[in-house]
Structures are given as structure tokens and as C-alpha cells.
Amino acid sequence: MPYTDSHGIRIHYQVEGNGPPLVMQHGFTSSSNAWSQFGYVQGLCRDYRCILLDARGHGASDKPHDPAAYALTNRVADVVAVLDALRIQQANFLGFSMGGWIGFGMAKYAPERINALLIVGAHPYADPSWDAFRNVDGTDPGAFLAALESVLEQRIPTELRPLVLTNDLRALAAAAQERPALDDVLPTLAMPCLLIVGEDDARCPAVRECARHLSDATVVALPGLKHTESFIRSDLVLPHVKRFLAGIQS
């Protein structure tokens, strides 16, 4: 299993396919395997070199229990460490939810490493909903799930609940911090951006507002979808991702 060292934290990654490099960063409580489970790798690996990271605290990467370890600058450093290990100077970036927030972090702290930004279900504004984890330390699975559902503003789908509970919940509770605003970076971004969000996701208005401040943004609102469904329904997401990537390659 390939790993790279990111300032003392081991980050696990996988590479599938050939073509222009595409970093794929999963959401909170998930892992890089989700991209295969829901059909994204199969849909993209024929045309792109899919670089699948396990975020720190998730999957096969190290899982520190210190909240300070999960600062956004550290998460950005993890992506850069993987790109460095693969000797890739610049890549496209596809991120869902937490992965999308890390994508905005890349745009702020390492923009020279990103060719294009594809964000699903995330925005760069401050998100006070993460206060739901303020008194959650991961020792009570029920309390953890309740806090997570408060952040998502929806019940966790049945097929995802086992995936959540197999995690190191103490590590994830440490990672569940208030997310500071990153919108100051928006006017500086010249890279093409694709923003996808479910119309029934509470984040939809903020995603639309974000697009207004980008010089090269395409926004897709998926009718009838809430937050998690905007990832699970790869049949609806992938056509937009493929069209966007084909356009920037041409």
C-alpha cells in the first residue's frame, strides 16, 4: 500500500488509470474507497490518472487524536506531499464536502499545484454548523452520529451508517472543527472551477454565492438532491465532471 510522509503523518493513497492527473478527495467520515464504491473511479480512470487520498484521520492514513493536527494547512500539506511523491507538479482536483473544503484550501495555500478545481457539496464560507461537535469526543457513537446529522441537516443514509461507525471516532471528533472562512481567496482564482451541489442541500445558496465571485466558474445544481445524495448519485454527477474536464483539456 503506497504511503507518503506529511510532516510525520503517514498519508495513504492509491493511483488508478492513466491520463491527466486528477486528485480525488473524499468527504468527512469516508475514505478513498468511496470513489470506487459509488462508481467514480470506473467512470474516470479510462481517461484520467485518478489519485485517491485517504485524508488524515480516515481510511488507512494515520489518525491523530490531537485537534491541532487537523488544521487546514496540514490537510493541504498532505495533498502536496502525495503530489510530490508522485512527482506531479500540477493536477486537477475533485473534492466532495470536506474534500471540497480542502480543495478551497489548496486554492488558498497551494494554488500553483492545481490546474482546475471541481467541488461537490462545499463552499468556502465560515460554517458554524460544526459547533455541533463542540462537546463530542468520539467515545459515544450515538452522540457522534447525532452531531454529524446536525451538520448534514439530514439523516445519514442506511448504506452509509456502517461506513461511519467503522472509523476511529475519536480521531474524527478531533477533526470535526469549526471551518474558518476562505472566501478571501475567490477573487484571486484564475483557474476554471466546477461547483456541483444538490438543490435541496442547505449549502446550495452559499455555493451559488461563491460562484459569483469567481472569474471562471460553472455551477450545477442537481434537482431533488440533498448533501450526501449529491455524492452517491454518481450517475448524475459524473456527466458534468467528464464534460468539464474534457473542456479544459481541449
Side-chain angles (χ1 to χ4, degrees), residues 64-135:
H65 291 172
D66 179 4
Y70 296 94
L72 181 57
T73 50
N74 291 335
R75 302 184 198 223
V76 168
D78 297 343
V79 179
V80 171
V82 171
L83 291 176
D84 287 347
L86 294 171
R87 299 180 181 177
I88 295 172
Q89 183 58 37
Q90 194 173 68
N92 300 315
F93 185 102
L94 170 61
F96 168 67
S97 194
M98 177 191 76
W101 178 63
I102 294 172
F104 284 117
M106 289 291 295
K108 182 177 179 69
Y109 297 113
E112 71 283 357
R113 308 305 294 269
I114 299 298
N115 177 57
L117 203 55
L118 297 83
I119 305 293
V120 183
H123 60 74
Y125 302 103
D127 187 351
S129 68
W130 289 91
D131 285 347
F133 279 95
R134 183 178 299 275
N135 297 312

Side-chain angles (χ1 to χ4, degrees), residues 174-233:
Q177 304 170 14
E178 182 179 348
R179 295 182 178 177
L182 302 169
D183 53 304
D184 60 325
V185 76
L186 298 181
T188 72
L189 295 187
M191 67 187 70
C193 301
L194 173 65
L195 307 178
I196 299 177
V197 64
E199 277 192 350
D200 293 346
D201 187 341
R203 296 154 186 79
C204 189
V207 171
R208 292 186 185 276
E209 176 63 21
C210 167
R212 293 182 55 247
H213 302 279
L214 291 168
S215 62
D216 187 0
T218 301
V219 183
V220 176
L222 300 172
L225 298 191
K226 294 184 179 180
H227 186 65
T228 55
E229 287 79 9
S230 66
F231 178 75
I232 292 171
R233 293 296 306 273

Side-chain angles (χ1 to χ4, degrees), residues 13-30:
Y13 65 94
Q14 306 173 61
V15 180
E16 302 281 351
N18 295 287
L22 174 64
V23 172
M24 300 169 70
Q25 185 73 80
H26 61 80
F28 183 63
T29 76
S30 187

